[in-house]
Amino acid sequence: MSDKPPLRILLCAPRGFCAGVVRAIDVVEAALVRFGPPVYVRHEIVHNRYVVDALKRKGAVFIEELDEAPDGDRPVVFSAHGVAKSVPAAAKARNLIAIDATCPLVTKVHREAEIHHKRGRLVLLIGHAGHPEVIGTMGQLPEGAVLLVETVADVAALALPADAAELAYVTQTTLSIDDTADVVAALKARFPLIHGPHKEDICYATTNRQEAVKRVAPECDGLVVVGAPNSSNSQRLREVAERAGCRVARLVQRATDIDWDEFSGLATLGVTAGASAPEILVEEIIDAFAERYAVTVETVSTADESVFFPLPRELRAPAAE
Ligand code: SF4
């Protein structure tokens, strides 16, 4: 008989890598094969240190700005979060080989914003200031053509007349579903003529991971989100668990981040992972709990995912063309 206390682990599904993250990592790996190292990657390709370190060991060089890459014909990969239009233009001007790993679901938002702008509409972007995706989306249009709104209070504070006809909104892909619904409702109440996406811009992966946490959280006294502090979708998962009443909901990158005093005396623990966290780190976390508890693991599945994005054309094998 084990003298460890019992712990029921409810493992959320879907969790972890989304199709955009898988593609972004594949892009860097394919570029390393095609061009050989070094391959420059602007910004963390995805927000996960484990993934970034693994790619560094293979020859990827991570930079924050293009001017950190030397002039010449080396490849530069743009991260899954997307970049402002000025970035590929600057790469072209310096004869760098630009490879775009922007998630197609982020590119879709870029195109929506462009279409609204072409139709003469002021674009309101719902998102978090400073996030790379927000910087990239705002950078699709000239300065002043996009206004950022983060909260319902921001909507109330917009210096626009209520009858402003030519308005539209788009959103960051990794937001809280519930908070965004509140901001959209506030926009529609204040600007009844505002144009918006037919279906929201929050992506399938963000939606599915939040729904899975909503399902398990009411049964759990604790929940661990495996993910990085700068990962928007991971932070949102932690908030969803907290709002659902989990006594302790924490974002951890590795098992060594767990504060075992906080996670003592648990009966049921929820486990999930943000869209940029690899499954090996989920296993590491479960193993760490198994050292202290007699764990049983149940998977709670709320959706099936089969989304796949092919590599950019320039990296596809000739046979796949
Ligand atoms: S979280 Fe969504 S938008 Fe972001 S990379 Fe994944 S699928 Fe694309």
Side-chain angles (χ1 to χ4, degrees):
M1 267 279 292
S2 165
D3 55 0
K4 297 175 188 172
L7 178 66
R8 181 175 167 235
I9 292 184
L10 300 181
L11 188 54
C12 296
R15 66 179 174 278
F17 277 4
C18 61
V21 162
V22 169
R23 177 177 180 268
I25 296 167
D26 287 351
V27 163
V28 178
E29 291 189 333
L32 284 162
V33 170
R34 173 73 59 95
F35 300 102
V39 166
Y40 293 89
V41 183
R42 186 182 175 280
H43 195 66
E44 284 186 328
I45 185 74
V46 300
H47 284 155
N48 189 277
R49 196 189 304 155
Y50 184 93
V51 171
V52 166
D53 287 346
L55 292 171
K56 273 185 191 167
R57 286 194 291 276
K58 294 179 181 175
V61 176
F62 289 84
I63 57 177
E64 278 310 305
E65 295 303 336
L66 270 192
D67 54 19
E68 294 168 49
D71 282 337
D73 60 354
R74 288 315 303 166
V76 180
V77 179
F78 305 138
S79 79
H81 313 96
V83 288
K85 276 202 164 148
S86 55
V87 176
K92 193 171 171 205
R94 292 184 47 210
N95 294 324
L96 296 165
I97 303 168
I99 302 173
D100 191 2
T102 303
C103 176
L105 299 181
V106 174
T107 303
K108 176 177 142 284
V109 179
H110 292 178
R111 296 293 82 82
E112 280 171 25
E114 268 188 334
I115 289 168
H116 289 309
H117 181 64
K118 276 189 189 139
R119 292 182 179 166
R121 296 169 187 156
L122 176 66
V123 177
L124 305 176
L125 168 61
I126 304 172
H128 296 296
H131 189 278
E133 183 183 327
V134 164
I135 295 168
T137 301
M138 294 187 82
Q140 299 305 303
L141 299 183
E143 200 155 338
V146 185
L147 297 182
L148 181 65
V149 287
E150 296 192 65
T151 61
V152 170
D154 288 349
V155 175
L158 280 169
L160 296 168
D163 62 354
E166 292 308 317
L167 279 182
Y169 73 88
V170 296
T171 83
Q172 191 179 333
T173 57
T174 52
L175 299 177
S176 151
I177 297 166
D178 296 337
D179 290 349
T180 306
D182 290 346
V183 177
V184 169
L187 281 174
K188 287 182 173 169
R190 214 189 133 186
F191 308 108
L193 300 176
I194 195 165
H195 299 267
H198 294 301
K199 202 171 164 289
E200 62 188 24
D201 295 317
I202 296 174
C203 77
Y204 79 96
T206 299
T207 305
N208 290 346
R209 281 149 192 70
Q210 287 181 25
E211 292 299 331
V213 168
K214 272 188 195 167
R215 170 79 70 85
V216 307
E219 285 192 60
C220 301
D221 29 28
L223 187 134
V224 172
V225 180
V226 184
N230 56 348
S231 160
S232 172
N233 79 87
S234 302
Q235 287 285 10
R236 304 295 82 80
L237 293 174
R238 190 194 57 73
E239 290 168 3
V240 167
E242 212 159 53
R243 287 177 190 175
C246 275
R247 178 169 62 79
V248 48
R250 293 289 178 266
L251 185 58
V252 300
Q253 302 202 68
R254 302 296 298 258
T256 48
D257 296 339
I258 298 170
D259 178 340
W260 291 105
D261 288 338
E262 287 188 319
F263 283 95
S264 65
L266 298 178
T268 305
L269 174 77
V271 175
T272 187
S276 43
E279 187 64 10
I280 192 168
L281 299 183
V282 175
E283 290 166 9
E284 178 182 290
I285 301 295
I286 293 174
D287 287 348
F289 275 93
E291 282 175 18
R292 291 159 178 84
Y293 290 91
V295 302
T296 52
V297 180
E298 296 167 37
T299 298
V300 179
S301 180
T302 50
D304 290 324
E305 290 183 349
S306 55
V307 178
F308 168 78
F309 299 129
L311 287 174
R313 186 175 297 276
E314 61 269 34
L315 288 175
R316 283 180 225 161
E321 288 288 293

